[in-house]
Amino acid sequence: MILDKQDKDSVLRIAVLASGRGSNFEALCNGDTGNGRISLLITDNEKADVLRKASALGVEALYMSPGRYRTKFGEAEEREWAQLMKDRGIELICLAGLMRIIKGPILEEYQDRIMNIHPSLLPSFPGLHAQKQALDYGVRITGCTVHYVDAGVDSGPIVLQKAVHVKDDDTVETLSGRILQQEHIAYSEAVRLYCSGVIASSERYAYKREQ
Ligand code: GRF
């Protein structure tokens, strides 16, 4: 499916879902996302720093209960998140450190319209602690990936990737810091591409720059 080119003047409303620090949320708000506008932040963590960042940036921010599970949503709660985003006219969802798997109503409602950012070059090192996994394995190059979300863990079609060299004296912290800098660049770029309509989301190798 090739997405229709968006009207250059129309605003495409984006929701960011996040659980913690919110540096990618902040980078998306401050980055060049074309006609995409970060208009809503929802968190499953009442104490998340991202709530303060949203308020400083003047973005509507909500805490919503995810239900009683630790790593997934309750069915009813996920339906409420999906409905609220629908009611707000959200057209694209960006996951930015959401510590919860999306499998049900949000995925059904927003299929091919959910992106995630992951701190490795997928398909290497999916899941938690990707930077440590890369260091432990001994790769010399790692990086970050923006990908569409499917029902698996970090397994959806790749939108774009940025490479980062591993240094001999890297620690998890130093490597994570350099990857994070690239994440901040990559996410806005991916959203900009989405909004310009040049990526075909339901296929693998979906990233087709206009010639
Ligand atoms: C980032 O490393 C991102 O790749 C991963 O979670 C982290 C979120 O960081 N999915 P932040 O909250 O955006 O600062």
Side-chain angles (χ1 to χ4, degrees):
M1 177 191 81
I2 309 251
L3 294 164
D4 289 338
K5 229 180 170 29
Q6 300 292 328
D7 177 343
K8 287 239 174 337
D9 298 327
S10 74
V11 164
L12 189 139
R13 292 170 64 80
I14 300 167
V16 175
L17 310 187
S19 301
R21 179 177 56 185
S23 71
N24 277 289
F25 164 75
E26 198 170 30
L28 279 170
C29 291
N30 292 328
D32 176 4
T33 50
N35 64 334
R37 164 112 23 101
I38 310 302
S39 48
L40 180 63
L41 176 275
I42 313 181
T43 183
D44 58 348
N45 173 9
E46 280 173 295
K47 298 190 177 126
D49 282 342
V50 70
L51 281 171
R52 277 183 285 285
K53 291 195 164 115
S55 133
L57 286 158
V59 174
E60 182 185 15
L62 301 171
Y63 160 78
M64 289 180 73
S65 168
R68 64 193 169 92
Y69 303 104
R70 209 169 49 83
T71 57
K72 64 173 187 175
F73 284 89
E75 168 85 17
E77 286 82 4
E78 191 171 337
R79 202 168 295 289
E80 283 171 21
W81 284 51
Q83 188 61 47
L84 183 127
M85 289 188 278
K86 228 178 125 185
D87 292 346
R88 295 284 208 285
I90 296 300
E91 292 173 79
L92 174 69
I93 297 174
C94 292
L95 308 186
L98 181 74
M99 299 304 287
R100 210 164 278 279
I101 294 163
I102 283 177
K103 271 190 191 288
I106 297 178
L107 198 55
E108 283 155 28
E109 187 64 49
Y110 282 95
Q111 196 174 14
D112 293 336
R113 297 188 294 154
I114 310 174
M115 286 185 186
N116 181 42
I117 186 146
H118 183 77
S120 75
L121 294 177
L122 291 170
S124 293
F125 314 128
L128 293 175
H129 312 303
Q131 304 94 331
K132 180 171 188 308
Q133 290 186 57
L135 274 183
D136 288 349
Y137 194 94
V139 292
R140 307 311 299 162
I141 299 174
T142 182
C144 64
T145 303
V146 181
H147 64 94
Y148 284 101
V149 172
D150 64 11
V153 174
D154 301 323
S155 56
I158 289 168
V159 178
L160 62 84
Q161 299 183 300
K162 302 264 180 212
V164 173
H165 283 272
V166 179
K167 296 182 180 171
D168 290 342
D169 59 353
D170 259 332
T171 61
V172 172
E173 289 69 31
T174 58
L175 180 59
S176 301
R178 290 204 311 288
I179 294 173
L180 196 62
Q181 289 174 2
Q182 295 304 312
E183 292 183 36
H184 296 164
I185 298 166
Y187 221 169
S188 294
E189 196 176 322
V191 168
R192 198 163 65 239
L193 281 171
Y194 178 93
C195 292
S196 71
V198 297
I199 47 180
S201 60
S202 59
E203 300 157 20
R204 250 169 222 290
Y205 314 114
Y207 173 29
K208 299 173 184 162
R209 258 190 204 285
E210 276 180 318
Q211 300 297 310

